[in-house]
Amino acid sequence: MGHGERSGAVPRARIGGADGPAVAADRAWAGRRWSAYGAAATVLAVALVMDGWDGTLDMLRLAACGALSTALFAILLPARTTAGDGWLEVRGLVRRRRVHTDYLVSARFLGEIDRRVVLRDAFGGRVSVEVRVLLANPFLWHELDRGARRAYAAGLLPDRSALRELAESIDTAGARELLSAAGMP
């Protein structure tokens, strides 16, 4: 448990800045951010070269190319997922969303192709996390699971089936990775 909490007790509230530091983060986020930068810069460079080659480059087209590459970057930039003791946060380009995992009231899957788990807490916080981010980052999953267990023990989270399914997927992926590293198919 931790922080003086006992099994079955409602976890203590940690709202605002008292949540503590992030102890887990998406390790692949920086690489995906640089890929978004690279794609936007490539589109900008190709558009400018093509317009320059044709002799049609002027200030209006330069601004349009800049706006296009900026929009592409905004679309491709992945959300940054971090977690700490009792919280999970997803920060996008404009918005930051956080849930208190000790106070989860629901966890469900959304989507078939781009699968996400949607978490809601008792304070109205809602966050959508890509399943592949949790699969690739066991420390993020550990923090989410630890908080969800506290919420379940306190009676706040009635249905843990989505999190159990996610745990099985993470265990299966970990087992495959371990066998692959050992040279077994």
Side-chain angles (χ1 to χ4, degrees):
M1 290 283 151
H3 297 294
E5 297 168 4
R6 56 187 167 73
S7 180
V10 175
R12 65 181 175 84
R14 288 180 296 226
I15 307 297
D19 290 337
V23 296
D26 182 2
R27 297 177 293 186
W29 178 79
R32 292 195 319 260
R33 178 189 61 190
W34 281 108
S35 294
Y37 279 135
T42 301
V43 166
L44 178 63
V46 167
L48 292 177
V49 166
M50 296 297 287
D51 277 346
W53 190 274
D54 286 343
T56 58
L57 186 60
D58 58 5
M59 291 305 285
L60 181 62
R61 292 193 59 112
L62 179 65
C65 290
L68 174 69
S69 64
T70 301
L72 180 64
F73 174 72
I75 290 168
L76 294 179
L77 182 68
R80 184 171 192 184
T81 305
T82 55
D85 185 25
W87 59 270
L88 186 129
E89 179 178 277
V90 176
R91 186 180 312 167
L93 187 61
V94 177
R95 200 175 348 184
R96 177 184 114 174
R97 293 183 180 248
R98 179 179 280 209
V99 292
H100 291 82
T101 56
D102 293 341
Y103 291 93
L104 288 179
V105 294
S106 78
R108 62 183 174 83
F109 285 115
L110 185 66
E112 292 296 320
I113 296 173
D114 181 27
R115 199 151 192 210
R116 301 174 162 276
V117 62
V118 178
L119 307 168
R120 284 187 328 121
D121 67 16
F123 305 109
R126 181 181 173 275
V127 72
S128 175
V129 183
E130 295 178 36
V131 169
R132 68 181 172 94
V133 169
L134 294 172
L135 286 170
N137 296 282
F139 293 120
L140 278 174
W141 164 246
H142 173 71
E143 290 299 324
L144 170 59
D145 186 49
R146 187 166 62 159
R149 288 175 189 266
R150 289 180 191 153
Y152 183 74
L156 296 170
L157 183 63
D159 182 19
R160 288 189 54 214
S161 60
L163 295 176
R164 277 194 212 106
E165 183 180 333
L166 188 57
E168 289 173 13
S169 298
I170 290 170
D171 290 344
T172 301
R176 280 191 195 124
E177 188 176 312
L178 188 63
L179 291 173
S180 167
M184 303 174 106

